[in-house]
Amino acid sequence: MDLFEALYTTRAMRRVRPDPIPADVQAQILDAAIRAPSGGNTQNWRFLLVDDPAVKAELGPLYRDSLGMLWETIYRDRIAAAHANPGDADSMATLAMQRSAQYLADHFEEVPLYLFGFVLHDPTGGSIFPAVWSAMLAARAAGVGSALTSMGVFRRDEMLAALGVPADDGWICACCVSFGYPTGRWARAERRPVHEVSYRNRWGAPLGFEVATPLWG
């Protein structure tokens, strides 16, 4: 697969089939992940795959509860504004995101594979996200969709217990990634143009160029 095709089309794919991910594909995903940059080459990361229905049955209610709290707190004003003006393009994008995220929560136990990324004494997660992104790109190359999410903000202790993670060793769950063969189509993610979100040398200063249309696809 062309590198730019992977970069431009590895968007969140939350609607997936329950078909299992073959072991060789899982191995490729993890082997790609550990090749990513690691600060100081410390490799203070751990990757926990979850495909056991019993474990997913424990995690599912925690994830749904966490997402419900997310809608009522961090996203509350944004979602309320979207409902107040549903015809606006930004509002439609917000409501589509909410429907997609809620679908994943409602069908959590049906997703064939999850990857939980853990870092040691690093609350930012900066040391593991390059590896997680590499895992998602490797999955894309194999036709497997992924979606980056988390549940550790609201139900951290219950989640760690369900996964058997030692509570006092300093491991922090940076993220959770769902994997599955998508029911939808691969497509380029629509985003605000580069020049609207980028500066040069000083905050707010002009970038010096514009990207009026996507440079791939």
Side-chain angles (χ1 to χ4, degrees), residues 52-204:
D52 186 334
V55 179
K56 290 191 287 184
E58 287 189 69
L59 294 172
L62 300 177
Y63 186 76
R64 285 184 284 275
D65 185 59
S66 295
L67 187 64
M69 287 190 278
L70 193 67
W71 298 145
E72 291 298 320
T73 54
I74 298 172
Y75 282 91
R76 182 175 181 176
D77 292 344
R78 180 179 170 188
I79 291 172
H83 281 291
N85 189 16
D88 177 76
D90 287 342
S91 296
M92 288 189 287
T94 294
L95 296 176
M97 175 277 298
Q98 185 187 25
R99 289 192 299 271
S100 178
Q102 190 61 53
Y103 181 92
L104 175 60
D106 294 340
H107 298 267
F108 185 93
E109 292 85 347
E110 300 167 29
V111 173
L113 184 68
Y114 290 95
L115 182 153
F116 288 82
F118 291 87
V119 288
L120 193 60
H121 304 299
D122 177 14
T124 70
S127 295
I128 199 171
F129 281 117
V132 170
W133 179 234
S134 291
M136 296 170 71
L137 288 173
R140 172 67 183 93
V144 176
S146 60
L148 180 67
T149 185
S150 177
M151 71 175 72
V153 176
F154 297 107
R155 303 299 297 271
R156 172 186 174 275
D157 292 343
E158 297 98 319
M159 177 198 67
L160 295 180
L163 294 173
V165 180
D168 302 319
D169 288 358
W171 291 105
I172 299 170
C173 184
C175 62
C176 168
V177 183
S178 60
F179 290 100
Y181 294 101
T183 60
R185 62 184 181 86
W186 300 102
R188 186 186 65 234
E190 297 302 323
R191 296 289 188 262
R192 293 174 61 187
V194 166
H195 53 274
E196 291 186 9
V197 297
S198 307
Y199 313 125
R200 187 183 299 274
N201 296 322
R202 296 278 185 175
W203 186 269

